[in-house]
Amino acid sequence: MQILIKKSTAAFLLIAMANLVVAFLTFFILPPKFFYDSAIIIYDRWNEAGYLGSYPLTILFYKITGLRYLPFPVIALLQFPVLMFVLYKIGIPENFEKINVKNILVYLGIFMMAVFISMPSKEFITFLFITPIVFLFSNRRYSFKKTVYISFLLLIVFGVFYRPYFALIPIIAYGMYLISFINFKNQVLTTIFYGLLIAFFLSLSYGLVKGEYFSEMSREVVNNARMGSADANSMIVPPLKPDTWYGEAIAVFYGFFSVNVPVNGLKHLLSPQILVFVIWQLFLSYILLVRFSKCLKNRNDMQYELFVFFILFSFFIIQGVFEPDLGSAVKHKTGIFPLIYFALYYEYFRKKLQ
């Protein structure tokens, strides 16, 4: 009996197998500094394992599963297929085998997954967490309101127990949702602009209570410790210090564009890995903005897909506030890749439900 495999499925499996080899080889090719976070997670020298915080929970996960006792290449052989299985369950779009800009972005995204989250990583946990939210919106088993409420609850819980800034995503996403009902000339850019304003006011409120703004207590702390080091060339440094309200306002907008429309990153001609991310990110942002615009224009028929974009762009906004450099920006993007994958191919996933 002849077994026929669709070209798109064959292409997906071929890319998965090729990148499994990449995932396996990363430990032998990449420099030791690349595994700094992984070493903290595996060796747990300060007994941080616990139930609250990204490092403690990740360390606990690798202890409970026993993965911490395995060599890194073996961990890659176990973790990377899980990541690809998630994408497979979300769905393989038609024409996945064809060479076009959208597919190339996904091919490179899968390659980045193989490089960044096939090792012990906090992003592996983030990837697994974000997956149920994608299934909520792609399967439509619940009403739209219930789907939004459940996804918001998941984001808040994840923020409380793992990464605090995820708890801010529902606030920004819902604010953007309300703003999008107002008829502006350029609906997409205006909605994102107000999302950035919401992030700024959240930071301002935090600053009034705690005495320091979001950028100041996150990005500035990390970058000040690395100033002058070999890794400092990719740092995101706003033109003004974020220790005043106007400095933080500039930092919020500067961070967003540095991470999501990183034209200023084209200066890294001598750092090909950064340059590749910059080009990948520029094309990704353009395509996502175009698809976001389509969903806004057809919001009544595409309310599920539209809200995925609100969540996705809310993450992009928050990432711009907290992200210290372009290098970590790549890694953190891979953590939410299921959302990016769904947003890029939402038209195909809509067809499957019809």
Side-chain angles (χ1 to χ4, degrees):
M1 187 175 72
Q2 189 177 11
I3 300 174
L4 297 175
I5 301 177
K6 290 182 179 179
K7 288 182 180 179
S8 56
T9 304
F12 182 89
L13 294 174
L14 184 63
I15 289 167
M17 288 186 287
N19 281 287
L20 181 61
V21 175
V22 172
F24 178 79
L25 293 176
T26 52
F27 178 75
F28 303 102
I29 296 172
L30 297 173
K33 66 179 182 179
F34 199 86
F35 299 92
Y36 176 75
D37 274 3
S38 297
I40 293 175
I41 292 166
I42 292 301
Y43 298 118
D44 189 20
R45 291 193 176 101
W46 296 281
N47 295 316
E48 292 182 88
Y51 298 95
L52 195 64
S54 57
Y55 273 119
L57 268 170
T58 306
I59 292 168
L60 185 65
F61 169 81
Y62 281 93
K63 275 187 176 180
I64 291 173
T65 58
L67 288 171
R68 65 169 291 184
Y69 305 106
L70 301 176
F72 279 20
V74 176
I75 294 174
L77 292 177
L78 294 172
Q79 282 192 182
F80 185 73
V82 172
L83 303 176
M84 293 307 297
F85 180 72
V86 167
L87 296 186
Y88 177 80
K89 293 303 290 183
I90 293 172
I92 304 171
E94 294 174 349
N95 302 323
F96 188 73
E97 76 284 359
K98 292 191 176 178
I99 304 298
N100 55 46
V101 175
K102 182 171 59 176
N103 285 345
I104 290 172
L105 289 176
V106 174
Y107 300 162
L108 287 173
I110 292 171
F111 173 77
M112 289 189 290
M113 284 163 47
V115 172
F116 286 102
I117 49 177
S118 57
M119 62 187 71
S121 169
K122 292 184 286 184
E123 301 317 311
F124 182 68
I125 308 298
T126 304
F127 191 102
L128 296 180
F129 154 76
I130 213 75
T131 299
I133 294 177
V134 175
F135 285 131
L136 276 172
F137 284 96
S138 62
N139 294 338
R140 301 190 188 185
R141 292 181 180 176
Y142 303 104
S143 68
F144 173 67
K145 284 186 178 179
K146 196 170 183 179
T147 299
V148 171
Y149 292 150
I150 295 172
S151 64
F152 277 2
L153 179 61
L154 289 172
L155 287 164
I156 291 168
V157 169
F158 192 69
V160 170
F161 287 96
Y162 201 74
R163 279 188 162 149
Y165 58 80
F166 269 78
L168 302 175
I169 291 176
I171 301 172
I172 298 173
Y174 190 66
M176 291 172 69
Y177 171 71
L178 295 177
I179 290 294
S180 70
F181 283 101
I182 304 173
N183 192 18
F184 293 105
K185 187 174 181 181
N186 192 319
Q187 199 79 347
V188 171
L189 296 182
T190 306
T191 301
I192 293 173
F193 172 78
Y194 277 100
L196 287 163
L197 280 184
I198 293 168
F200 166 66
F201 282 114
L202 287 171
S203 179
L204 197 64
S205 302
Y206 184 86
L208 291 173
V209 175
K210 294 291 186 178
E212 56 182 358
Y213 304 115
F214 286 158
S215 297
E216 192 180 4
M217 46 107 30
S218 57
R219 178 164 54 217
E220 286 294 296
V221 170
V222 174
N223 284 344
N224 286 340
R226 298 188 306 157
M227 200 68 70
S229 70
D231 301 325
N233 66 320
S234 63
M235 289 193 318
I236 297 170
V237 184
L240 291 179
K241 274 189 165 292
D243 53 0
T244 60
W245 69 266
Y246 52 88
E248 177 65 358
I250 291 172
V252 169
F253 281 82
Y254 183 86
F256 174 79
F257 284 100
S258 294
V259 170
N260 301 293
V261 194
V263 178
N264 55 343
L266 292 171
K267 63 185 179 183
H268 296 287
L269 293 174
L270 300 179
S271 301
Q273 72 279 12
I274 297 176
L275 198 60
V276 168
F277 166 70
V278 167
I279 295 169
W280 178 82
Q281 183 62 62
L282 287 171
F283 279 106
L284 176 68
S285 293
Y286 174 75
I287 291 177
L288 289 177
L289 286 170
V290 170
R291 276 160 167 58
F292 187 23
S293 177
K294 286 182 181 178
C295 288
L296 279 170
K297 289 175 182 175
N298 301 280
R299 65 181 308 140
N300 292 331
D301 295 327
M302 297 184 173
Q303 53 185 353
Y304 286 88
E305 292 82 3
L306 178 58
F307 224 92
V308 167
F309 281 98
F310 287 133
I311 292 174
L312 188 57
F313 277 101
S314 296
F315 173 83
F316 290 165
I317 289 169
I318 286 297
Q319 186 186 23
V321 175
F322 290 93
E323 200 67 73
D325 63 74
L326 290 175
S328 61
V330 186
K331 184 165 64 172
H332 293 147
K333 280 288 196 307
T334 58
I336 54 109
F337 194 74
L339 270 176
I340 294 172
Y341 184 80
F342 177 79
L344 286 172
Y345 296 118
Y346 76 81
E347 289 167 331
Y348 165 77
F349 298 123
R350 275 181 58 81
K351 283 182 185 177
K352 282 179 66 179
L353 292 171
Q354 292 172 355

